[in-house]
Each structure stands twice: as structure tokens, then as C-alpha cells.
Amino acid sequence: MSHPALPRRLLAEFLGTALLVTAVVGSGIMATQLSPDDVGLQLLQNSIATALALGALILTFGPVSGAHFNPVVSTADWFLGRRAGTGLTAGQLGGYVLAQTVGAIAGSILANLMFALAAVDLSSKERAAGHLWLGETVATTGLILLIFALARSGRSAVAPAAVGAYIGAAYWFTSSTSFANPAVTIGRAFTDTFAGIAPSSVPAFVIAQVAGLAVGVGLLLALYPGVERVADDVVVAPPRTPAVRSTSEESTPS
């Protein structure tokens, strides 16, 4: 299967991650403005906007880069695919992670600017507790399982809806509200708003997400033998080149 050139893929990862964080942060700001006295309603508004935006972004950028938007997804893609010669190479993985992280920071800055806030305003919201780290591990494990199980079972086409639905639900069933993404976690440290996370809380969240990655990959290998062969189909398979019709077929009247 041929892939778009790496610069195009990295641009797609940068833009997709940036717009994802813009949706997360921007909808959080709007929610606090619309429902200033109801935190539950704020979370509902934030989660719905994030889930819908994520599905749309996967549809938009999936055919170019796979729409990972997440270093743990890209790392799983590299780790699982390296034995079968599929998925990302180590060099491509480094490019993806850098593009995703820079994109996440840019997305947070963009959201701040859209709501007339300081471009960079480091968050003061501490999220440091064992139950939150456990929530991040659970959220990340589930995300890795979902994405690669869809690819392994030939259902990558439903990934936009399924991944968006999972993240929207995980806002509510995890104690951490499911960041499940190291790049997004770093990006959200650059906004002191509803969706922010204090820089001092970021390292532990990332460690928990890496733990979720390890658990998710281990479960995939146990549950879905041969999953490494479909790393090229994560998250949305790149479009295959249509077969060229023969001259005889083209000239045959219908």
C-alpha cells in the first residue's frame, strides 16, 4: 500500500492535533461562559463538542496520515508493525510525535486567542492524584484496544464514529476525564481555563498514559493474533489506488 509523502502526513498530524485541542479548549471556555454555575453541564458541553470534532477530524485527515493525533497511538502503530514491516518506521514515529506535540500547543494558543485571552497562560489546575492516574491508564488502554481492534477486524471505516464516541463516553466514566493523549496533555497546560492542566501535573499523566499503552498493546497481542499486519490501517486506512480498467473494458458497450 502506498502512502502520501511524509511531509504531507506530518502536516496532517499537526493540523489535526491542533484543531482537536482547539475544540477541547475552546468548547471548555464556551461552556464556562454559557453555564457558569453548572460544572456538570460544562462537562457535557465540552465532551459532546470534543467527540464530534474528533470524528470529523479523523474523517478529514485520516486518508492522509491515519489521523493518529496521539503519540501513544503512533507508538503502538510502530511497535506492533515493526515485525511485519507495516506501520510507522522509527524515524516517522519521531516526526509524528513532534508534529502532534507542536500542533497541540498551537491549538491551545489558537483557542485562547479566539476567546480574547492571553495566547499563552499556563494552567493552574492541579490534577495530581492516584485515582486520576488510574483513570488515565484505563482511558488509554481502552483507546488503544478500540483503534487496533477495529483495524484487525476490518472495521476501520467506523473509526471516526467509534473513537469519537469512546472519547465522549470516557469523559464521564474516568476520574481524569480521559486525556488519553500525551500531546494533548502537554497542549492543555498552555491554557488556564476549564480544560487546562497544571504543568506540574503533566509528567505523571503522561506516565499513566504510557502505562495504558503498554497494557493495551499486551492485551491486543493476546486477543488479536496477527494485529501487527494491519498497522497500516490505523486509524483510517489510506485510500487504495483504484484498479485501472483495461482498454477492452472501456470500449465494451454497456
Side-chain angles (χ1 to χ4, degrees), residues 40 47 99 143 179 219 237:
S47 62
L143 180 64
F179 287 49
L219 290 174

Side-chain angles (χ1 to χ4, degrees), residues 4 12-13 56-69 234-239:
E13 286 297 300
L57 291 170
I58 292 173
L59 285 171
T60 301
F61 297 107
V64 180
S65 68
H68 294 185
F69 310 151
V234 175
V235 174
V236 175

Side-chain angles (χ1 to χ4, degrees), residues 21 25 29 101-113 117-125 179 182-193 195-199 202:
V21 174
V25 174
I29 297 171
T101 303
V102 175
I105 295 170
S108 194
I109 292 172
L110 177 59
N112 287 337
L113 291 174
L117 302 174
V120 174
D121 189 12
L122 296 180
S123 178
S124 59
K125 185 173 292 185
F179 287 49
V184 168
T185 303
I186 292 170
R188 288 169 66 167
F190 286 76
T191 181
D192 195 18
T193 59
I197 177 173
V202 168

Side-chain angles (χ1 to χ4, degrees), residues 10-155:
L10 297 182
L11 177 59
E13 286 297 300
F14 169 83
L15 291 173
T17 312
L19 291 172
L20 173 59
V21 174
T22 299
V24 173
V25 174
S27 63
I29 297 171
M30 181 64 80
T32 58
Q33 293 180 353
L34 295 175
S35 310
D37 301 319
D38 193 333
V39 177
L41 184 55
Q42 292 169 10
L43 185 62
L44 178 62
Q45 293 161 340
N46 189 210
S47 62
I48 291 174
T50 300
L52 294 176
L54 179 54
L57 291 170
I58 292 173
L59 285 171
T60 301
F61 297 107
V64 180
S65 68
H68 294 185
F69 310 151
N70 189 334
V72 295
V73 174
S74 298
T75 300
D77 187 66
W78 163 76
F79 182 82
L80 291 170
R82 62 197 174 98
R83 290 182 298 176
T86 58
L88 298 176
T89 65
Q92 291 168 348
L93 171 62
Y96 265 53
V97 171
L98 179 61
Q100 292 157 356
T101 303
V102 175
I105 295 170
S108 194
I109 292 172
L110 177 59
N112 287 337
L113 291 174
M114 284 199 301
F115 286 89
L117 302 174
V120 174
D121 189 12
L122 296 180
S123 178
S124 59
K125 185 173 292 185
E126 295 288 340
R127 300 177 188 259
H131 68 284
L132 300 180
W133 303 332
L134 177 59
E136 279 302 287
T137 301
V138 170
T140 308
T141 297
L143 180 64
I144 294 296
L145 276 173
L146 171 63
I147 289 172
F148 285 85
L150 290 174
R152 178 64 178 85
S153 58
R155 295 176 294 164

